[in-house]
């Protein structure tokens, strides 16, 4: 992919369908005059009076307890430098999205046009009534030190400069585990730090608090080693690390060093320098995108070295996202007045200890083919480890309470752990684990409507992500003309394969294979040849059945039932009765909602409902590692009606509970009852499901299709699917309204499913 193509894609991402990456939505209904009177005058006065008498109530009565300000003046934007506050806004919005996605923390990004330290401090400090915490971002050194220190002194909420402390915490976790591996202690190691900026200084300060001795530290800047008596390029922050030494260059300093911290630039280290380090050296080369030394060069020089970088394509990525969402989650939840060293050390140890635990099934699925076992290439967890949201905030809260920083101590820590686990399904980047799996072994996927505009647009993302090896059925000249008009820079033959449907009759094996499937159904040989030539869905299904493609996608043009009718004779069902089902996923603000069956079974009987539910449960468990909470939905609510439709759902629910005792399943019930625990308890306290149902099994296609359409319209939920369950080989039928992003998501999930199927066979 060319740089121009990625630039255009990135700009469209930021501009469409609405500008930017953030929006503000109310969390309470405002549908009538009573709501208005409670939200504003006169009801709001009661909340104001409560806070006036007890300021701690602001965390319970307003959004402040879950609201962080991401603040920058744009003077040191990563990779871009001093671009100013307005140009820095997309970066701050991006940081806000990460807070929300990883820890369900709301953010206002605030870009301030001020470089004077005292004025900047005054502006930020005046915002304290609005926020529960301040995340400083991309403020240049040394001003960032002064701003953070002054704000910490005068504000009673956490102030955290992520460029410093986020990097420091994750790097320290890697060092903590690296020293465990090589049986060295903090107190004995020699540390060389290349770079004397905010991140480097924060890293060294945190390691000093963990036991490293100052006399064993050599910090370098562009003028060489920082030593006592040096005058060139010094400032008060560097002075703290000036030591008595004859070392002047990195070549001098690195001799017998146990740990190298690189936060400077590419090429600082070379193989000859690395050879002089102590046994089993730890090398954290964190300059991005090009580290101080490439890991393969360091390993060639020192096979005993343990490496970490800032890059995602090497083991041990030092990524701030392992830290900042979760340390703020804990700090906000206990009302911390600041983030102290004890809380930082607790975060370090929580992150480090997580890497030593047995990898969860969810993480193993997301990082297939990687040996995620504690060791030299797995020092710290992966960013998508769902246990981070449980372990790190809990450790931070404990440290905050023990150190006296918490103003709202949490008495029941076990209940708090359960609350944190609820964030996992609602806040993670939902598709990323499947994308990670698909990238490892991209499947060969054939797209029946290869000339369709949305299919072509999706190809750019599919190729960029590397989740599939696409085959497009269509005419190459038409595809190339459309790609050129869309500004895509993909190359047929290199990025994807084109199969010209007009030449399908040149390949006898396709129509002959199809004829074998339908010849006993009255389809003559000539008709089979004509069908393969003129129906790209049949051609795609034949390619999958013959093993020339691993899976297929069709449906952007035409009717769902017509495509299904064309596929079924060629790709068989795994169900002995030939039953299939469909399921869709809607990504809602409070987590995914799975809906079955909107497209295949018009009015299933009791046996059909049971099969549909089993298909859905298997899909949720295998595809997303989510615990299914299944509601069989009806117009009847736990026995309020006894007509055949209601009894069908009731009996199916009884059977499912008996056959799958470890799964939360209940019904028949109203949709509102399924989605609202309090309402459900008021109807029937003995229900077999807890919390919000995430899988809705509908009584018929009418109910499923109507519900899907209304939820998409009224919730702005993002649709993934539909997916066909019950086929011997993956074949999925889109609906015409699915976007290019939807095609990417379906492709990634299909490719990941193919990998898992292959694993299960092995």
């Amino acid at each position: 992919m060319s740089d121009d193509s990625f630039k255009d894609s990135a700009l469209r991402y930021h501009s469409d369908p609405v500008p930017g990456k953030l929006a503000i939505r109310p969390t309470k209904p405002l549908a009538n005059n009573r709501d208005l009177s409670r939200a504003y005058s006169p009801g709001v006065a009661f909340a104001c009076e409560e806070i006036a008498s007890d300021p701690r109530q602001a965390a319970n009565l307003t959004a402040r307890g879950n609201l962080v300000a991401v603040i920058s003046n744009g003077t040191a934007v990563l990779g871009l430098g001093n671009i100013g506050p307005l140009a820095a806004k997309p970066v701050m919005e991006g940081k806000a999205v990460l807070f929300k996605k990883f820890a369900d923390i709301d953010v206002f990004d605030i870009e301030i046009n001020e470089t004077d330290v005292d004025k900047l401090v005054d502006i930020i400090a005046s915002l304290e009534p609005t926020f529960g915490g301040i995340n400083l971002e991309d403020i240049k050194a040394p001003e960032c030190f002064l701003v953070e220190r002054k704000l910490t002194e005068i504000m009673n909420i956490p102030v955290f400069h992520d460029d410093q402390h986020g990097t420091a915490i994750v790097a320290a976790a890697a060092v903590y585990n690296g020293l465990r591996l090589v049986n060295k202690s903090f107190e004995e190691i020699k540390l060389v730090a290349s770079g004397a900026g905010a991140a480097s200084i924060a890293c060294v300060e945190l390691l000093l608090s963990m036991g490293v001795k100052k006399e064993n530290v050599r910090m370098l800047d562009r003028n060489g080693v920082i030593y006592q008596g040096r005058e060139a390029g010094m400032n008060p922050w560097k002075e703290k690390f000036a030591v008595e030494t004859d070392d002047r260059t990195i070549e001098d300093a690195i001799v017998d060093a146990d740990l190298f911290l690189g936060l400077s630039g590419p090429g600082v280290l070379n193989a000859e320098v690395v050879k002089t380090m102590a046994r089993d050296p730890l090398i954290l080369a964190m300059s991005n995108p090009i580290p101080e030394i490439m890991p393969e060069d360091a390993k060639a020089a020192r096979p005993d070295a343990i490496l970490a970088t800032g890059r995602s394509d090497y083991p041990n990525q030092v990524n701030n996202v392992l830290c900042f969402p979760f340390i703020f989650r804990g700090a906000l939840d206990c009302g911390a007045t600041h983030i102290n060293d004890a809380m930082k050390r607790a975060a370090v140890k929580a992150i480090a200890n997580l890497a030593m635990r047995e990898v969860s099934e969810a993480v193993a699925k997301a990082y297939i083919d990687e040996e995620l076992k504690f060791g030299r290439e797995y020092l710290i967890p992966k960013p998508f480890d769902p246990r981070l949201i449980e372990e790190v905030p809990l450790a931070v809260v404990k440290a905050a309470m023990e150190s006296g920083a918490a103003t709202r101590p949490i008495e029941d820590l076990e209940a708090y752990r359960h609350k944190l686990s609820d964030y996992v399904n609602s806040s993670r980047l939902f598709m990323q684990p499947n994308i990670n799996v698909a990238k490892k072994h991209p499947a060969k996927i054939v797209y029946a409507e290869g000339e369709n505009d949305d299919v072509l647009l999706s190809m750019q993302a599919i190729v960029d992500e590397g989740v599939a090896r696409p085959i497009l059925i269509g005419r190459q000249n038409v595809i190339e003309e459309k790609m050129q008009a869309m500004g895509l820079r993909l190359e047929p033959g290199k990025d994807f394969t084109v199969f010209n449907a007009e030449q399908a009759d040149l390949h006898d094996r396709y129509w002959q294979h199809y004829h074998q499937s339908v010849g006993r159904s009255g389809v003559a040989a000539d008709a089979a040849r004509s069908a393969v030539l003129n129906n790209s869905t049949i051609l795609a299904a034949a390619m999958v059945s013959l093993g020339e493609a691993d899976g297929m996608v069709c449906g952007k043009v035409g009717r769902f039932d017509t495509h299904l009718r064309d596929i079924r004779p060629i790709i068989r069902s795994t169900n002995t009765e030939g039953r299939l089902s469909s399921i869709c996923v809607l990504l809602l603000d409070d987590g995914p909602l799975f809906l079955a069956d909107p497209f295949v079974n018009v009015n299933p009987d009791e046996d059909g409902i049971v099969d549909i539910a089993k298909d859905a449960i298997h899909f949720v468990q295998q595809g997303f590692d989510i615990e299914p909470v299944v509601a069989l939905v009806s117009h009847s609510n736990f026995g309020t009606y006894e007509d055949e439709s209601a009894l069908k759902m009731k009996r199916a629910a009884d059977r499912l509970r008996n056959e799958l005792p470890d799964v939360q399943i209940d019904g028949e019930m109203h949709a509102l009852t399924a989605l609202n625990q309090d309402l459900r308890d008021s109807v029937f306290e003995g229900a077999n499901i807890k919390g919000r149902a995430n899988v809705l099994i509908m009584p018929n296609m009418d109910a499923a299709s109507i519900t899907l359409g209304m939820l998409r319209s009224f919730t702005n939920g993002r649709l993934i699917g539909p997916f066909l369950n019950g086929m011997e080989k993956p074949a999925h039928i889109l609906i015409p309204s699915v976007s290019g992003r939807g095609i990417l998501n379906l492709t990634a999930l299909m490719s990941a499913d193919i990998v898992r199927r292959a694993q299960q066979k092995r």
Side-chain angles (χ1 to χ4, degrees):
M1 181 192 65
S2 72
D3 290 341
D4 287 344
S5 177
F6 182 70
K7 176 182 177 182
D8 291 342
S9 171
L11 290 174
R12 282 196 302 271
Y13 176 87
H14 281 81
S15 63
D16 297 331
V18 295
K21 300 188 284 282
L22 296 175
I24 296 174
R25 295 180 183 173
T27 60
K28 302 296 190 300
L30 195 63
N32 52 47
N33 192 57
R34 183 169 182 267
D35 290 342
L36 180 61
S37 66
R38 290 185 295 171
Y40 200 53
S41 181
V44 71
F46 297 113
C48 295
E49 289 168 349
E50 285 288 317
I51 296 169
S53 62
D54 182 2
R56 292 174 298 178
Q57 289 300 316
N60 299 321
L61 299 173
T62 75
R64 185 176 186 264
N66 195 50
L67 188 61
V68 166
V70 171
I71 298 179
S72 178
N73 64 0
T75 53
V77 178
L78 180 65
L80 299 172
N82 187 356
I83 60 174
L86 186 60
K89 187 173 179 63
V91 179
M92 303 311 122
E93 285 190 356
K95 196 63 173 276
V97 170
L98 294 179
F99 267 109
K100 187 65 177 177
K101 286 293 184 180
F102 280 94
D104 200 27
I105 293 172
D106 296 317
V107 165
F108 289 163
D109 65 289
I110 299 176
E111 295 74 33
I112 300 175
N113 189 18
E114 183 58 71
T115 56
D116 180 273
V117 168
D118 290 332
K119 291 181 179 178
L120 185 59
V121 167
D122 288 343
I123 293 168
I124 297 172
S126 70
L127 300 172
E128 183 169 345
T130 302
F131 297 101
I134 304 290
N135 186 89
L136 300 175
E137 195 80 16
D138 294 345
I139 300 172
K140 73 181 181 71
E143 287 88 340
C144 61
F145 301 116
L146 289 168
V147 170
E148 185 188 40
R149 189 189 71 198
K150 291 186 175 185
L151 288 173
T152 301
E153 290 173 353
I154 62 177
M155 299 184 80
N156 287 312
I157 57 175
V159 178
F160 189 81
H161 186 203
D162 184 47
D163 298 334
Q164 295 181 61
H165 307 300
T167 302
I169 288 168
V170 181
V175 173
Y176 187 82
N177 275 347
L179 296 180
R180 279 174 163 172
L181 272 175
V182 299
N183 196 27
K184 296 180 182 180
S185 69
F186 283 99
E187 290 76 13
E188 69 181 272
I189 64 168
K190 179 181 178 182
L191 161 62
V192 174
S194 175
S200 183
I201 287 174
C203 285
V204 175
E205 285 183 333
L206 183 55
L207 292 172
L208 288 174
S209 79
M210 298 181 74
V212 173
K213 296 180 179 178
K214 179 182 173 181
E215 59 265 29
N216 292 339
V217 175
R218 302 292 183 271
M219 183 176 285
L220 296 95
D221 61 10
R222 64 189 59 192
N223 294 310
V225 174
I226 296 170
Y227 58 89
Q228 284 191 2
R230 199 186 93 172
E231 296 180 359
M234 295 298 287
N235 61 40
W237 295 274
K238 294 180 185 179
E239 287 286 357
K240 290 192 298 184
F241 301 99
V243 293
E244 284 281 359
T245 179
D246 293 330
D247 296 338
R248 295 296 182 264
T249 67
I250 193 166
E251 290 80 5
D252 300 333
I254 204 78
V255 175
D256 293 330
D258 301 279
L259 169 62
F260 172 82
L261 285 180
L263 290 147
S264 48
V268 169
L269 281 186
N270 59 48
E272 294 306 313
V273 171
V274 169
K275 288 178 180 177
T276 67
M277 295 182 72
R279 72 162 177 91
D280 297 307
L282 273 65
I283 301 174
L284 276 65
M286 295 177 282
S287 174
N288 223 354
I290 304 175
E292 285 76 7
I293 185 170
M294 295 302 291
E296 52 267 31
D297 295 335
K299 291 293 282 187
R302 289 295 300 267
D304 61 336
I306 299 174
L307 278 297
T309 70
R311 291 171 51 144
S312 61
D313 53 346
Y314 288 98
N316 300 324
Q317 183 193 17
V318 179
N319 189 331
N320 288 11
V321 81
L322 288 169
C323 165
F324 72 82
F326 312 117
I327 198 166
F328 264 104
R329 180 74 275 158
L332 290 173
D333 289 342
C334 68
T337 56
H338 57 286
I339 295 174
N340 57 30
D341 283 346
M343 294 160 72
K344 294 174 195 172
R345 289 194 296 269
V348 169
K349 293 177 181 178
I351 293 169
N353 289 336
L354 193 52
M356 297 190 69
R357 285 170 46 187
E358 182 178 346
V359 172
S360 68
E361 186 177 356
V363 178
K365 286 181 178 179
Y367 296 94
I368 201 164
D369 282 354
E370 293 188 42
E371 187 178 358
L372 302 185
K373 182 179 180 182
F374 178 64
R376 290 171 177 262
E377 296 197 341
Y378 186 59
L379 293 178
I380 46 180
K382 297 289 188 178
F384 291 95
D385 191 324
R387 298 171 297 177
L388 284 163
I389 186 62
E390 299 178 28
E391 300 300 330
V392 181
L394 186 65
V396 169
V397 164
K398 288 179 179 178
M401 292 192 298
E402 291 169 2
S403 63
T407 61
R408 298 192 305 276
I410 297 174
E411 294 182 5
D412 190 340
L413 290 175
E414 191 58 34
Y416 178 59
R417 179 188 287 277
H418 289 305
K419 179 182 176 182
L420 291 171
S421 68
D422 289 341
Y423 288 126
V424 174
N425 291 341
S426 63
S427 63
R428 303 302 284 182
L429 295 169
F430 186 72
M431 280 301 301
Q432 190 61 43
N434 281 294
I435 289 174
N436 290 344
V437 172
K439 289 170 75 168
K440 294 293 182 182
H441 296 286
K444 193 182 292 184
I445 306 297
V446 58
Y447 299 82
E449 294 103 2
E451 296 178 6
N452 178 267
D453 288 356
D454 284 332
V455 171
L456 290 174
L457 283 172
S458 74
M459 285 303 112
Q460 189 73 71
I462 288 167
V463 171
D464 290 350
E465 291 283 0
V467 296
R469 292 174 289 156
I471 303 169
L472 302 183
I473 295 179
R475 295 159 293 178
Q476 183 157 329
N477 63 316
V478 174
I479 289 172
E480 288 180 342
E481 288 172 6
K482 286 195 168 191
M483 282 173 38
Q484 187 173 3
M486 293 175 185
L488 304 179
R489 299 294 184 270
L490 298 171
E491 295 182 32
K494 176 185 175 184
D495 297 313
F496 60 89
T497 302
V498 176
F499 188 99
N500 192 334
E502 293 179 342
Q503 298 175 352
D505 59 339
L506 300 178
H507 306 276
D508 289 345
R509 63 185 182 280
Y510 297 124
W511 73 261
Q512 289 171 352
H513 182 74
Y514 177 57
H515 188 241
Q516 289 176 0
S517 302
V518 297
R520 294 183 183 275
S521 301
V523 179
D526 286 346
R529 185 193 297 268
S530 177
V532 168
L533 179 62
N534 295 298
N535 188 322
S536 60
T537 296
I538 291 175
L539 173 58
M543 295 173 73
V544 173
S545 182
L546 287 166
E548 296 179 12
D550 300 311
M552 65 170 285
V553 176
C554 63
K556 275 300 293 183
V557 180
R559 289 170 38 171
F560 192 99
D561 60 333
T562 303
H563 288 286
L564 183 57
R565 182 194 63 208
D566 291 336
I567 294 169
R568 291 188 84 153
I570 310 168
I571 303 176
R572 306 290 184 177
S573 169
T574 56
N575 188 297
T576 55
E577 297 180 7
R579 184 179 285 121
L580 305 175
S581 68
S582 68
I583 189 168
C584 288
V585 189
L586 279 168
L587 299 187
L588 306 177
D589 289 343
D590 60 346
L593 183 66
F594 299 84
L595 190 72
D597 164 17
F599 292 106
V600 176
N601 296 284
V602 175
N603 188 23
D605 59 14
E606 181 185 322
D607 290 338
I609 292 294
V610 170
D611 285 344
I612 289 166
K614 288 180 177 177
D615 284 345
I617 290 166
H618 182 265
F619 177 81
V620 172
Q621 290 174 331
Q622 295 299 310
F624 300 97
D625 199 55
I626 290 172
E627 181 182 357
V629 181
V630 186
L632 277 70
V633 183
S634 172
H635 64 282
S636 179
N637 205 25
F638 292 110
T640 57
Y641 285 83
E642 294 189 353
D643 56 276
E644 182 52 37
S645 177
L647 292 174
K648 172 181 74 174
M649 302 303 282
K650 179 191 278 292
R651 289 193 297 264
D654 287 341
R655 286 173 55 183
L656 287 164
R657 283 196 298 274
N658 288 330
E659 293 181 37
L660 303 171
D662 294 330
V663 180
Q664 294 187 60
I665 304 170
D666 216 328
E668 83 299 2
M669 70 180 78
H670 288 170
L672 283 175
T673 307
L675 299 174
N676 187 305
Q677 171 86 50
D678 292 338
L679 179 59
R680 188 165 60 249
D681 288 345
S682 71
V683 176
F684 177 47
E685 286 189 355
N688 191 48
I689 63 174
K690 302 298 180 186
R692 163 194 178 277
N694 56 23
V695 182
L696 302 184
I697 308 300
M698 295 294 176
N700 54 52
M701 189 187 293
D702 279 345
S705 180
I706 292 167
T707 302
L708 178 64
M710 295 186 72
L711 283 173
R712 288 185 71 191
S713 298
F714 295 138
T715 65
N716 294 312
R718 182 151 52 89
L719 175 68
I720 302 179
F723 300 93
L724 268 178
N725 290 318
M727 301 290 259
E728 285 184 345
K729 295 187 176 182
H732 297 297
I733 305 169
L734 302 167
I735 53 177
S737 61
V738 170
S739 66
R741 179 179 291 273
I743 298 171
L744 164 66
N745 286 331
L746 183 141
T747 299
L749 189 56
M750 187 192 317
S751 206
D753 177 54
I754 290 166
V755 174
R756 293 182 183 119
R757 288 190 190 201
Q759 278 192 321
Q760 288 171 357
K761 285 184 180 180
R762 290 197 295 268

